[in-house]
C-alpha cells in the first residue's frame, strides 16, 4: 500500500476499496428483512473484508485490536496475484450491490447505495480495462515512482503509524519489518510484469525514486529509520529485550538484499526510460487518461472540457490578483513575474534552517488557533478531534507532496496530522501560508473529515472521504470561506495569497490535461506553472512530477471547488433570506460523495427548506 493511500485524496484503488466499507455495526435504520438491512450487511462485509486484507489501514484506523489483533504484525499483499484476488472480490461485491432494489431503500440508504455503487463501478472498470498499475476510482499507472511503492511508504508507515507501547507491539513491528522485504520483492515482480507491457515511470520520476531508495540503502542498517525508530520508541516505552538489534539484523539480512534487487531493476528501467511525461504513450493511454479524469473529478467531464475550464479560471483569477497587486504599488510585469518577486522578498521568507522551520510551524499553529475562534460563525457542529502540524519525513520529502493531511484514528490514540514539506522553507513565503493551513486544517480537511468521522449517522463508507473531488474541492472552498469570515481584513497580500492558491489549482487543470491530453513536455508544464503562479521552481517541479505519475488527480481540486461554489450560490439564490450557512454546512455530516450526488443532495435540501 503506497504512502498516498494514507493521505486524504482517494488516489489509489486500494484506498478507494476501503471506503466502500459500512460501519462497525449494522446501522440502526436497517430493519431486519428489508433492503436497508441487506445493504447494511453488505457494507459491513465489504468493510471487514478490506480490513482483513489491508493491515496497514487497520492499524491507521486503530482497528487492529481484538479478533483483528494479528493484523498488527502484517503488511498488505503487493503482488499481482493479490491484486487479481482483490479485483475478483470487488466484482463479486459489485454484483451484490447491483442486486439490491434501490427503489425499496430509505432515503439514507439510497445515498449510501449510490456512493457504494459508484465506487465499485470504478474499481471494476479500472481493474478490468487496464492491466497495469493500480486503477479503479483512482488511477496510478506506475507501481514504483517518486511517490509510489513500498520502498517509501512502509518505512514512513512503520515510523509514524505503527504503535510501540508494549512488547507485543515491538514484536509486531519486527514481523512487519521482515514483511517489508517481501513487499519490496512483490513490488518488483509487479513492475517487471508492467514493464513487459511497456509501462514504467518516466526517467525523471525514476531518478528521484532511485535517489530515495539509495538514501535508505546507503547507510549502515543501524542508522536507518527502520532501526532507529523502534530503538527510540522501545526505549521510551521501557520495553525489555533488544528490539533494535533484531531490527538491525532484519534490515541487513532481508530488507537490504530486497532493496538491492529493486534498485537494480529500477536502474535497468531507467536506462530504457524517456522523459515523455504523459500517459498517452502507454497502452490505451488516451482512454486511460479520460477514465482517470472522470474518476478524479467524479463527473463526466472530458479532458478537453477540463482544460478549457482551467484556461478560463486562470484568466479570471489572474485579473483579480492583478487588481490587488496594483493597489499595493506592484504594477510592472506579468502577474506571475510580480508574484515571483514577492516570493523572493526576504521579508516574506523564513530562514532555511532548523530555526526557520520551527518558526514556520509556530506560525501555522497560530493560524489554526485564530481560525478556530471564528468557526461558530459558519458551522453549527464542530469536530472534537485535534490536529497537529508535522514535517514531511526527510526520507520521502523529495518525492512527497508539498502538504497533505492524515486523519485521526478512530481509537483517539493520536491527533490528525497536517504535514508540510519543509525541504526548503523558501518554498513557503509568509503571505501564502495561511491558505495552506485553512486547506489542510480547519475549515478544510480536518473539519470536514473529522465531522464525518464523528457523525453517528455516517457509515464507514463515507467517514473516510473517498471522493477526492469532494474533499479537495471542499478544502479549496474552505480557503475561500476563511476569506469570507474576515481573516484577511487589512491584509491585502494575504488575500492575494489565497487567490494565488486558487490560481495554482486552476493552473493544475491546464497542466495536467496539457501533459496527458495535449502531450506537453515536463519542461513546458513547469514553465507554464512558474510563469502563471510565481511559485519557486523547485516547489513547482515537485508538483509537476507528481502530476506526471498521478494522471487526473490534480484536476479534482478546482473542479470540486467550482462545484461547491456553484451549488452554494444556487442555494442562496433560491432561498434568499432563508439561507443559513451554518445549516448548509451540516451537509458535511453526511460524509463525502461524488459531485453528481452532492449536487442532488443540495437540491433536496433547498427544496425541503422552501417547503
Amino acid at each position: 500500500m503506497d504512502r498516498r493511500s494514507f493521505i486524504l485524496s482517494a488516489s489509489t484503488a486500494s484506498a478507494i476499496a476501503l471506503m466502500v466499507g459500512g460501519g462497525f455495526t449494522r446501522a440502526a435504520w436497517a430493519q431486519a428483512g428489508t433492503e436497508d438491512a441487506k445493504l447494511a450487511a453488505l457494507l459491513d462485509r465489504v468493510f471487514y473484508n478490506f480490513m482483513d486484507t489491508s493491515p496497514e489501514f487497520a492499524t491507521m484506523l486503530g482497528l487492529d485490536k481484538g479478533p483483528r489483533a494479528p493484523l498488527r504484525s502484517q503488511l498488505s499483499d503487493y503482488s499481482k496475484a493479490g491484486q487479481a484476488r482483490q479485483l475478483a472480490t470487488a466484482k463479486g461485491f459489485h454484483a451484490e450491490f447491483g442486486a439490491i432494489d434501490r427503489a425499496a431503500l430509505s432515503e439514507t440508504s439510497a445515498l449510501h447505495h449510490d456512493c457504494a455503487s459508484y465506487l465499485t463501478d470504478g474499481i471494476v472498470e479500472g481493474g478490468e480495462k487496464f492491466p497495469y498499475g493500480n486503477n479503479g476510482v483512482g488511477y496510478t499507472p506506475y507501481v514504483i515512482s517518486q511517490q509510489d511503492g513500498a520502498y517509501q511508504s512502509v518505512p514512513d508507515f512503520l515510523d509514524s503509524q505503527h504503535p510501540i507501547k508494549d512488547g507485543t507491539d515491538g514484536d509486531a513491528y519486527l514481523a512487519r519489518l521482515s514483511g517489508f522485504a517481501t513487499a519490496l520483492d512483490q513490488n518488483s515482480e509487479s513492475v517487471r510484469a508492467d514493464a513487459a507491457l511497456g509501462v514504467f515511470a518516466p526517467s525523471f520520476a525514476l531518478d528521484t525514486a532511485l535517489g530515495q531508495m539509495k538514501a535508505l540503502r546507503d547507510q549502515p542498517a543501524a542508522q536507518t529509520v527502520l532501526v532507529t525508530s523502534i530503538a527510540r520508541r522501545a526505549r521510551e516505552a521501557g520495553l525489555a529485550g533488544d528490539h533494535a538489534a533484531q531490527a538491525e539484523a532484519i534490515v541487513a539480512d532481508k530488507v537490504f538484499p530486497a532493496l538491492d534487487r529493486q534498485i537494480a531493476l529500477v536502474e535497468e528501467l531507467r536506462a530504457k526510460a524517456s522523459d515523455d511525461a504523459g500517459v498517452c504513450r502507454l497502452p490505451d493511454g488516451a482512454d486511460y487518461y479520460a477514465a482517470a479524469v472522470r474518476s478524479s473529478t467524479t463527473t463526466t467531464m472530458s479532458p478537453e472540457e477540463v482544460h478549457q475550464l482551467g484556461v478560463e479560471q486562470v484568466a479570471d483569477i489572474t485579473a483579480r490578483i492583478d487588481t490587488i497587486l496594483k493597489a499595493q504599488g506592484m504594477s510592472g510585469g506579468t502577474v506571475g513575474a510580480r508574484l515571483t518577486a514577492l516570493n523572493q522578498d526576504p521579508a516574506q521568507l523564513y530562514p532555511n534552517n532548523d530555526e526557520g522551520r520551527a518558526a514556520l510551524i509556530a506560525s501555522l499553529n497560530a493560524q489554526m488557533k485564530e481560525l478556530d475562534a471564528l468557526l461558530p460563525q459558519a458551522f453549527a457542529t464542530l469536530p472534537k478531534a485535534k490536529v497537529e502540524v508535522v514535517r514531511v519525513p526527510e526520507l520521502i520529502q523529495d518525492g512527497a507532496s508539498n502538504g497533505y493531511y492524515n486523519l485521526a484514528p478512530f481509537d483517539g490514540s493520536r491527533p490528525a496530522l497536517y504535514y508540510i514539506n519543509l525541504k526548503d522553507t523558501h518554498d513557503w513565503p509568509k503571505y501564502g501560508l495561511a491558505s495552506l493551513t485553512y486547506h489542510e486544517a480547519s475549515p478544510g480537511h480536518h473539519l470536514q473529515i473529522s465531522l464525518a468521522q464523528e457523525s453517528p449517522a455516517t457509515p464507514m463508507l463515507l467517514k473516510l472521504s473517498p471522493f477526492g473531488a469532494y474533499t479537495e474541492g471542499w478544502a479549496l472552498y474552505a480557503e475561500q470561506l476563511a476569506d469570507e469570515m474576515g481573516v484577511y481584513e487589512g491584509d491585502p497580500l494575504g488575500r492575494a495569497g489565497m487567490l494565488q492558491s486558487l490560481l495554482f489549482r486552476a493552473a493544475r487543470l491546464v497542466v495536467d490535461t496539457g501533459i496527458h491530453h495535449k502531450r506537453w513536455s515536463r519542461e513546458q508544464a513547469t514553465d507554464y506553472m512558474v510563469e502563471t503562479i510565481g511559485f519557486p521552481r523547485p516547489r513547482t517541479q515537485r508538483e509537476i512530477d507528481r502530476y506526471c505519475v498521478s494522471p487526473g488527480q490534480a484536476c479534482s481540486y478546482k473542479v470540486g471547488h467550482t462545484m461547491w461554489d456553484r451549488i452554494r450560490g444556487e442555494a442562496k439564490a433560491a432561498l434568499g433570506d432563508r439561507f443559513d450557512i451554518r445549516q448548509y454546512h451540516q451537509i458535511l455530516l453526511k460524509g463525502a460523495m461524488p459531485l453528481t450526488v452532492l449536487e442532488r443532495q443540495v437540491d433536496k435540501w433547498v427544496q425541503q427548506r422552501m417547503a
Side-chain angles (χ1 to χ4, degrees), residues 23 50 101 105 124 140 209 248 271 314 329 343 356 392 397 444 452 512 563:
F50 188 79
D101 181 3
L105 295 173
V124 172
T140 304
E248 181 181 357
V314 164
N343 291 342
V392 171
Q397 67 184 7
D512 197 271
M563 175 67 81

Side-chain angles (χ1 to χ4, degrees), residues 47-366:
F47 174 69
Y48 286 118
N49 174 269
F50 188 79
M51 283 295 97
D52 291 339
T53 57
S54 303
E56 296 97 324
F57 261 112
T59 295
M60 177 188 173
L61 298 176
L63 301 180
D64 55 349
K65 296 178 174 67
R68 289 180 170 77
L71 294 175
R72 190 168 293 195
S73 300
Q74 302 170 22
L75 295 175
S76 299
D77 186 342
Y78 290 75
S79 69
K80 281 287 188 183
Q83 189 177 34
R85 285 192 293 271
Q86 290 173 8
L87 176 59
T89 300
K91 290 170 70 174
F93 286 132
H94 173 65
E96 290 190 65
F97 280 120
I100 289 176
D101 181 3
R102 185 187 182 283
L105 295 173
S106 66
E107 182 177 339
T108 298
S109 292
L111 170 62
H112 300 163
H113 183 272
D114 288 348
C115 293
S117 298
Y118 191 97
L119 290 167
T120 54
D121 284 352
I123 293 168
V124 172
E125 178 187 3
E128 285 190 323
K129 190 169 185 179
F130 304 106
Y132 50 84
N134 293 292
N135 312 303
V137 178
Y139 280 63
T140 304
Y142 312 118
V143 174
I144 290 177
S145 70
Q146 80 278 15
Q147 61 178 18
D148 297 291
Y151 80 90
Q152 49 84 32
S153 66
V154 171
D156 184 21
F157 165 76
L158 288 175
D159 182 43
S160 63
Q161 303 285 346
H162 182 100
I164 302 289
K165 296 181 179 178
D166 54 33
T168 301
D169 289 343
D171 292 342
Y173 182 103
L174 295 174
R176 276 178 157 163
L177 184 58
S178 183
F180 179 31
T182 300
L184 288 168
D185 284 335
Q186 289 174 335
N187 265 175
S188 295
E189 169 211 352
S190 295
V191 168
R192 286 191 184 280
D194 287 355
L197 301 175
V199 178
F200 46 91
S203 57
F204 51 86
L206 295 178
D207 284 338
T208 304
L210 282 168
Q212 294 181 146
M213 290 177 185
K214 292 177 179 179
L216 177 61
R217 178 63 181 89
D218 293 346
Q219 55 184 318
Q223 295 178 18
T224 64
V225 68
L226 298 167
V227 178
T228 60
S229 179
I230 191 172
R232 170 180 52 80
R233 294 190 288 149
R235 183 173 60 252
E236 292 171 351
L239 303 190
D242 196 345
H243 290 85
Q246 295 179 69
E248 181 181 357
I250 293 170
V251 171
D253 298 340
K254 294 184 177 182
V255 173
F256 275 177
L259 192 56
D260 286 338
R261 291 189 289 272
Q262 189 162 102
I263 288 171
L265 170 60
V266 176
E267 287 179 334
E268 176 186 332
L269 295 178
R270 173 61 183 85
K272 304 174 184 177
S274 74
D275 61 359
D276 191 343
V279 295
C280 284
R281 63 185 172 82
L282 305 182
D284 298 317
D287 287 344
Y288 184 95
Y289 183 60
V293 168
R294 291 193 301 271
S295 167
S296 67
T297 64
T298 59
T299 71
T300 59
M301 294 180 73
S302 70
E304 185 61 31
E305 288 171 328
V306 172
H307 187 84
Q308 291 306 316
L309 176 65
V311 170
E312 293 166 6
Q313 294 204 0
V314 164
D316 174 67
I317 300 167
T318 298
R320 295 166 66 189
I321 296 174
D322 183 45
T323 299
I324 294 175
L325 295 181
K326 284 179 177 176
Q328 298 303 303
M330 302 176 65
S331 57
T334 66
V335 166
R338 281 174 273 165
L339 290 172
T340 297
L342 187 60
N343 291 342
Q344 296 169 352
D345 182 350
Q348 292 289 338
L349 303 177
Y350 289 95
N352 193 31
N353 53 34
D354 288 344
E355 183 180 24
R357 292 182 179 92
L360 191 155
I361 288 178
S363 72
L364 301 183
N365 282 311

Side-chain angles (χ1 to χ4, degrees), residues 367-380 382 438 442-443 447 481-489 581-582 585:
Q367 289 160 4
M368 289 195 296
K369 185 176 181 180
E370 171 193 358
L371 197 283
D372 283 348
L374 301 176
L375 291 175
Q377 295 180 19
F379 296 93
L382 297 176
Y438 305 145
S442 292
L447 182 143
L481 183 63
D483 181 29
E484 295 168 354
M485 293 165 70
V487 297
Y488 299 118
E489 289 300 322
I581 195 167
R582 297 172 81 249
H585 287 154

Side-chain angles (χ1 to χ4, degrees), residues 290-511:
V293 168
R294 291 193 301 271
S295 167
S296 67
T297 64
T298 59
T299 71
T300 59
M301 294 180 73
S302 70
E304 185 61 31
E305 288 171 328
V306 172
H307 187 84
Q308 291 306 316
L309 176 65
V311 170
E312 293 166 6
Q313 294 204 0
V314 164
D316 174 67
I317 300 167
T318 298
R320 295 166 66 189
I321 296 174
D322 183 45
T323 299
I324 294 175
L325 295 181
K326 284 179 177 176
Q328 298 303 303
M330 302 176 65
S331 57
T334 66
V335 166
R338 281 174 273 165
L339 290 172
T340 297
L342 187 60
N343 291 342
Q344 296 169 352
D345 182 350
Q348 292 289 338
L349 303 177
Y350 289 95
N352 193 31
N353 53 34
D354 288 344
E355 183 180 24
R357 292 182 179 92
L360 191 155
I361 288 178
S363 72
L364 301 183
N365 282 311
Q367 289 160 4
M368 289 195 296
K369 185 176 181 180
E370 171 193 358
L371 197 283
D372 283 348
L374 301 176
L375 291 175
Q377 295 180 19
F379 296 93
T381 306
L382 297 176
K384 299 180 180 67
K386 303 300 182 183
V387 60
E388 177 183 334
V389 184
V390 294
R391 181 181 179 182
V392 171
E394 292 183 66
L395 177 68
I396 62 171
Q397 67 184 7
D398 288 348
S401 303
N402 286 316
Y404 54 91
Y405 173 86
N406 275 0
L407 75 175
F410 288 99
D411 63 1
S413 57
R414 65 160 174 80
L417 301 176
Y418 156 21
Y419 283 89
I420 183 168
N421 194 326
L422 295 181
K423 178 180 174 65
D424 187 342
T425 61
H426 292 181
D427 288 344
W428 300 108
K430 296 175 183 178
Y431 75 97
L433 264 175
S435 268
L436 178 71
T437 296
Y438 305 145
H439 183 108
E440 302 294 347
S442 292
H445 287 323
H446 178 63
L447 182 143
Q448 178 251 312
I449 292 173
S450 295
L451 284 180
Q453 279 185 273
E454 296 167 11
S455 171
T458 304
M460 288 293 291
L461 162 64
L462 304 178
K463 282 183 185 293
L464 301 179
S465 298
F467 301 104
Y470 177 103
T471 55
E472 296 298 352
W474 169 267
L476 273 189
Y477 167 78
E479 296 181 39
Q480 170 188 318
L481 183 63
D483 181 29
E484 295 168 354
M485 293 165 70
V487 297
Y488 299 118
E489 289 300 322
D491 181 15
L493 287 183
R495 182 170 285 111
M498 181 272 296
L499 289 172
Q500 185 186 36
S501 176
L502 296 183
L503 177 63
F504 172 40
R505 276 40 176 253
R508 278 178 165 177
L509 301 181
V510 179
V511 296

